[in-house]
Amino acid sequence: DTAVSQTPKYLVTQMGNDKSIKCEQNLGHDTMYWYKQDSKKFLKIMFSYNNKELIINETVPNRFSPKSPDKAHLNLHINSLELGDSAVYFCASSPNPGAGAQYFGPGTRLLVL
Amino acid sequence: SQQGEEDPQALSIQEGENATMNCSYKTSINNLQWYRQNSGRGLVHLILIRSNEREKHSGRLRVTLDTSKKSSSLLITASRAADTASYFCATDAGGNKLVFGAGTILRVKS
């Protein structure tokens, strides 16, 4: 009965590979987010979807493509992985865009070798 | 660009002492939130204070907001070893997103 879940928890892969991270929330929220946390713990928003529609797309390389098949799921596909993509990726959700608390998943630790 | 900046970067105290963390930000905000992150875990929402509020309490947490100085503080009273974590402030300045600071690492020694 985890509120926001992500898979996989750990991802180790070679440079140039393509990988996906999946996120699901069972809170009934309309809005979901992807964040990247770097090695210095700085957390930056990448994307946000509201009811399956993209509403935030920060300056992220187009190798990153989010997909929201329904409002409970938000996946992140990364093409041609680079060393600099190594980070922890967090999914989060909130009842609606912007206002109020966000609920975070446990994170996916991506290491690109 | 980074909106919130926490101070200090790291704080080490004894169990039972109070811990105070500060956050400064640059633009007008709708609200400011504090989150906790335990090692290897996701962030957990602690408290939200709106721009028209000056102080808010939740259990052992006390948050203040000074919009004239664009700053906030988080006070944890009677700290416990379980409070050991990173604490982040996040500002809602509109645009449907939160902007997080770099965090304060709190270590509570038992």
Side-chain angles (χ1 to χ4, degrees):
Chain A
D1 54 347
T2 306
V4 182
S5 59
Q6 293 179 231
T7 54
K9 190 169 181 181
Y10 299 97
L11 193 48
V12 181
T13 187
Q14 299 288 330
M15 235 172 20
N17 283 352
D18 303 338
K19 290 293 177 186
S20 291
I21 308 171
K22 296 188 175 183
C23 177
E24 176 180 1
Q25 55 95 3
N26 62 7
L27 297 167
H29 289 167
D30 282 349
T31 312
M32 296 183 74
Y33 310 83
W34 277 113
Y35 288 89
K36 179 180 180 181
Q37 187 173 46
D38 64 23
S39 57
K40 294 184 179 177
K41 298 248 178 179
F42 180 54
L43 196 71
K44 192 174 189 320
I45 189 165
M46 301 172 69
F47 301 103
S48 175
Y49 272 74
N50 185 55
N51 212 357
K52 301 194 296 175
E53 290 202 19
L54 182 67
I55 57 170
I56 293 173
N57 184 350
E58 294 290 285
T59 5
V60 177
N62 57 15
R63 299 182 294 104
F64 290 78
S65 50
K67 276 210 173 77
S68 182
D70 55 62
K71 71 176 192 176
H73 296 85
L74 180 61
N75 303 323
L76 184 65
H77 188 75
I78 316 170
N79 288 327
S80 304
L81 278 154
E82 300 177 357
L83 295 177
D85 297 332
S86 295
V88 183
Y89 292 85
F90 286 99
C91 176
S93 72
S94 66
N96 47 58
Q102 293 186 11
Y103 296 79
F104 281 76
T108 295
R109 283 138 193 86
L110 172 65
L111 178 60
V112 182
L113 302 174
Chain B
S1 63
Q2 193 171 333
Q3 164 79 310
E5 294 189 10
E6 282 92 340
D7 161 52
Q9 288 187 322
L11 181 59
S12 183
I13 59 174
Q14 290 294 133
E15 210 165 23
E17 293 180 341
N18 295 343
T20 300
M21 287 159 266
N22 303 299
C23 170
S24 60
Y25 57 91
K26 296 171 187 167
T27 64
S28 297
I29 59 171
N30 298 320
N31 65 67
L32 184 144
Q33 303 177 30
W34 285 91
Y35 288 78
R36 183 188 74 230
Q37 184 180 29
N38 290 89
S39 182
R41 301 287 188 97
L43 280 74
V44 174
H45 180 262
L46 295 175
I47 199 164
L48 179 153
I49 186 164
R50 300 187 196 287
S51 60
N52 60 354
E53 297 175 312
R54 291 297 164 256
E55 190 171 310
K56 207 156 180 185
H57 297 254
S58 176
R60 293 183 296 112
L61 305 181
R62 174 181 167 245
V63 168
T64 61
L65 179 64
D66 187 335
T67 52
S68 66
K69 293 181 180 175
K70 292 188 170 59
S71 68
S72 172
S73 67
L74 171 67
L75 169 66
I76 303 174
T77 59
S79 63
R80 305 166 182 168
D83 295 328
T84 294
S86 294
Y87 291 82
F88 295 87
C89 68
T91 50
D92 173 2
N96 298 321
K97 65 181 182 182
L98 292 179
V99 178
F100 285 81
T104 292
I105 300 170
L106 173 65
R107 182 178 167 218
V108 181
K109 295 177 282 188
S110 54

